[in-house]
């Protein structure tokens, strides 16, 4: 089969000054995409800023024969999101792909969590994904085409000690992705997410000796496929790392029903049946889940 290309497609990649974002930017540019390399240039915890990181990636892309433009705005404000997308529109007149990759860490056990650790993480991860996508949304609707790839995490989907702030933001990104998939369907806008395990500034101190086997080059092919015009799915989440790729999904058990006289004791007595995973379904949206509930109620 022919190699996948992105000729003429404009890709906006946040947090692309290093790590995963840099890898995504280099790969899409190599395959013909016109890339906006966004990076505030701050530290892992979100402090400071510099133009160096984004500009270096742009220089790499151009040296390899590709086309790219830097952007240094924060993703964490509506104005920042608008400016990032404006950079794409000013340079290339359209935006086809948004890869929300920017992130910071401010880990602490929940008992030590406070607003100074919570708010910036929510702002960058969840609100950042929201603001950048929102700024691109009307353009994608008007051109009847868009691909959005959001970066979630197993910390939010499954939980991880010391990351209530990060986990809450990353779980929120799954919800954002699902709704974007529903609302974007009529305009050929597909939104999917990844939950990567990869070496980066944020993870290299957490993963130990395994980190060298978890390079960004094992994540980028998944992102690139989800950003391609041929991708057949929307609203899905993929775990990836070290060359392993798997789908993560939310299922609903058949459960147990009593429409006449439900009591606390009934829940206690039927709890194993309620939790039994045999025969689960995977709703694509709220409507499908609601239909299953109504069916159980005899509606």
């Amino acid at each position: 089969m022919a190699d996948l290309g992105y000729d003429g497609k404009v890709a906006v990649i946040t947090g692309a000054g290093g790590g995963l974002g840099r890898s995504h930017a280099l790969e899409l540019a190599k395959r013909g995409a016109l890339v906006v390399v966004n990076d505030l240039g701050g530290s892992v915890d979100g402090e400071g800023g510099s133009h160096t990181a984004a500009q270096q990636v742009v220089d790499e892309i151009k040296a390899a024969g590709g086309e790219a433009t830097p952007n240094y705005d924060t993703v964490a404000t509506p104005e920042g999101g608008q400016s990032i997308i404006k950079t794409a529109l000013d340079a290339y007149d359209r935006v086809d792909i948004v890869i929300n990759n920017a992130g910071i860490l401010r880990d602490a056990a929940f008992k030590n969590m406070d607003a100074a650790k919570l708010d910036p993480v929510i702002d960058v991860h969840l609100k950042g994904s929201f603001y950048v996508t929102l700024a691109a949304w009307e353009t994608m609707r008007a051109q009847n085409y868009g691909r959005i790839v959001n970066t979630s995490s197993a910390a939010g989907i499954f939980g991880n000690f010391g990351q209530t702030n990060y986990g809450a933001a990353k779980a929120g990104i799954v919800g954002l992705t699902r709704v974007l998939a529903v609302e974007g369907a009529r305009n050929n806008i597909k939104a999917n997410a990844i939950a990567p395990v990869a070496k980066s500034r944020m993870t290299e101190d957490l993963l130990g000796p395994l980190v060298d086997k978890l390079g960004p080059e094992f994540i980028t092919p998944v992102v690139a496929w989800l950003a391609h015009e041929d991708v057949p799915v929307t609203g899905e989440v993929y775990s990836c790392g070290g060359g392993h790729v798997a789908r993560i999904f939310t299922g609903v058990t058949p459960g147990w029903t009593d429409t006449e006289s439900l009591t606390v004791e009934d829940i206690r007595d039927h709890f194993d049946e309620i939790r039994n995973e045999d025969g689960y379904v995977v709703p694509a949206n709220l409507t499908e889940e609601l239909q299953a509930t109504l069916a159980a109620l005899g509606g």
Side-chain angles (χ1 to χ4, degrees), residues 42-217:
S43 62
V44 172
D45 64 1
E47 297 293 341
S50 168
H51 291 186
T52 303
Q55 187 60 56
Q56 285 181 340
V57 175
V58 169
D59 291 344
E60 282 187 81
I61 290 172
K62 289 186 173 181
E67 175 58 36
T69 300
N71 175 277
Y72 316 110
D73 289 292
T74 178
V75 302
T77 66
E79 297 79 13
Q82 290 165 4
S83 182
I84 292 166
I85 297 303
K86 185 176 184 297
T87 296
L89 295 176
D90 288 348
Y92 306 119
D93 295 322
R94 59 185 292 123
V95 56
D96 301 287
I97 299 164
V98 170
I99 299 173
N100 289 304
N101 171 77
I104 64 172
L105 285 178
R106 295 194 181 186
D107 292 354
F110 187 56
K111 65 184 179 65
N112 298 322
M113 193 59 64
D114 55 28
K117 298 182 183 70
L118 172 65
D119 292 344
V121 171
I122 297 291
D123 287 347
V124 171
H125 289 275
L126 180 56
K127 291 184 180 180
S129 298
F130 186 98
Y131 291 141
V132 175
T133 305
L134 182 61
W137 192 252
E138 282 308 309
T139 297
M140 288 182 169
R141 277 169 44 85
Q143 65 197 21
N144 212 45
Y145 182 87
R147 295 292 182 266
I148 298 158
V149 185
N150 292 326
T151 308
S152 183
S153 171
I157 300 170
F158 302 112
N160 189 43
F161 187 92
Q163 292 192 309
T164 49
N165 52 356
Y166 182 79
K170 290 303 194 181
I173 286 171
V174 173
L176 171 65
T177 303
R178 300 284 293 191
V179 177
L180 291 175
V182 172
E183 293 196 17
R186 68 179 62 183
N187 293 110
N188 191 26
I189 301 171
K190 294 183 178 181
N192 292 286
I194 61 165
V197 180
K199 179 180 180 179
S200 70
R201 290 192 306 165
M202 295 200 303
T203 62
E204 58 187 353
D205 293 332
L206 303 175
L207 296 174
L210 187 61
V211 72
D212 291 331
K213 298 181 181 180
L214 298 171
E217 66 272 16

Side-chain angles (χ1 to χ4, degrees), residues 178 249-256 273-286 288-294 296:
R178 300 284 293 191
F249 58 86
T250 301
V252 182
T253 70
W256 174 81
E273 188 176 349
I274 291 167
R275 296 185 67 250
N276 187 348
E277 296 176 9
D278 293 342
Y280 70 83
V281 296
V282 183
N285 49 53
L286 180 146
E288 288 191 7
E289 199 278 334
L290 180 60
Q291 287 172 342
T293 298
L294 293 175

